[in-house]
Amino acid sequence: MVDFYYQPGSSPCRSVIMVAKAVGVQLNKKLLNLQAGEQLTPEFLKINPQHTIPTLVDNGFALWESRAILVYLVEKYGKTDSLYPKCPKKRALINQKLYFDIGTLYQSFANYYYPQVFANAPADPEAFKKIEAAFELLNTFLEGQTYVAGDSLTVADIAILATISSFEVAKFDISKYPNVNKWYQNAKKVTPGWDENWAGCLEFKKYFD
């Protein structure tokens, strides 16, 4: 049994849901109400002392950090290695884009939108510039490319798809970046679990309406 502690609006959680769908793993979803502090209960802290979501528990093995979970699911349950190939160079490119997502792209989303959404802070123009810079980089990476790392769908596409779909519901204009937009339209069609990802996005959208 694979227990999955999550919130549907969270893009890191949504990336795990999509990869689990792609490798055929059924998740026993356990909704955590962060606003109510359910991540701080003694029971959850015993599982994850960092008290973050997503958190996966696979027959007693606990793991958090979404991008680590994505790789674990493919390595343990993938019928092929296509989502995270064993070739060191292919894997290095995927890792590079996963780190770009967590450190630059998703980070720019969190730094700009979360203070507004969760703390009623005013918009920070400097933080918005970091979003634009991240999208410019991604647009450059995708020049002449259908996928973000290599020539087929990988966990890097799925992680970044979860992030980009959050930007869409936050009303960021993705169309200004033609390579990103083209990649996004294709990724939505070819990624297993997209429908559930979008349902989670629509729950998150209420913060921006």
Side-chain angles (χ1 to χ4, degrees):
M1 177 61 72
V2 180
D3 291 334
F4 182 57
Y5 296 86
Y6 83 118
Q7 269 203 330
S10 155
S11 57
C13 292
R14 288 186 271 107
S15 69
V16 174
I17 288 169
M18 288 189 281
V19 169
K21 180 88 170 178
V23 298
V25 171
Q26 189 160 3
L27 299 173
N28 179 34
K29 298 189 184 88
K30 294 176 176 281
L31 192 65
L32 271 191
N33 186 337
L34 303 187
Q35 284 72 31
E38 290 180 357
Q39 77 278 20
L40 300 173
T41 63
E43 295 81 9
F44 189 69
L45 287 172
K46 191 179 288 186
I47 296 167
N48 176 356
Q50 202 174 342
H51 53 81
T52 54
I53 56 166
T55 293
L56 188 88
V57 182
D58 184 2
N59 290 306
F61 172 67
L63 185 64
W64 54 95
E65 291 296 344
S66 64
R67 294 155 193 85
I69 295 172
L70 305 185
V71 169
Y72 170 76
L73 287 173
V74 176
E75 291 192 317
K76 181 164 184 189
Y77 294 105
K79 294 174 181 62
T80 73
D81 69 350
S82 66
L83 290 174
Y84 194 62
K86 291 182 173 64
C87 167
K89 288 182 179 178
K90 289 180 179 179
R91 185 166 282 194
L93 289 175
I94 293 167
N95 291 339
Q96 179 192 63
K97 297 306 188 297
L98 288 173
Y99 300 152
F100 168 75
D101 182 38
I102 192 172
T104 301
L105 185 64
Y106 177 75
Q107 193 62 51
S108 74
F109 182 93
N111 288 347
Y112 181 70
Y113 290 108
Y114 287 169
Q116 298 176 63
V117 167
F118 299 118
N120 292 317
D124 179 355
E126 291 305 310
F128 189 78
K129 288 178 186 174
K130 295 281 180 65
I131 293 176
E132 292 178 314
F135 267 79
E136 288 286 359
L137 282 170
L138 184 57
N139 200 65
T140 299
F141 298 157
L142 285 164
E143 183 66 40
Q145 303 296 315
T146 304
Y147 299 99
V148 298
D151 55 7
S152 62
L153 184 77
T154 68
V155 293
D157 292 284
I158 296 174
I160 291 175
L161 176 61
T163 300
I164 295 292
S165 55
S166 292
F167 277 105
E168 181 180 358
V169 296
K171 302 182 174 70
F172 181 79
D173 186 5
I174 298 166
S175 68
K176 286 167 59 179
Y177 305 89
N179 295 334
V180 177
N181 193 47
K182 184 179 177 184
W183 165 85
Y184 182 46
Q185 300 311 318
N186 180 65
K188 289 192 285 188
K189 293 175 188 166
V190 301
T191 303
W194 163 258
D195 289 346
E196 189 169 353
N197 176 76
W198 187 244
C201 283
L202 294 179
E203 284 202 34
F204 190 44
K205 186 174 183 287
K206 65 188 179 188
Y207 291 109
F208 300 97
D209 289 340

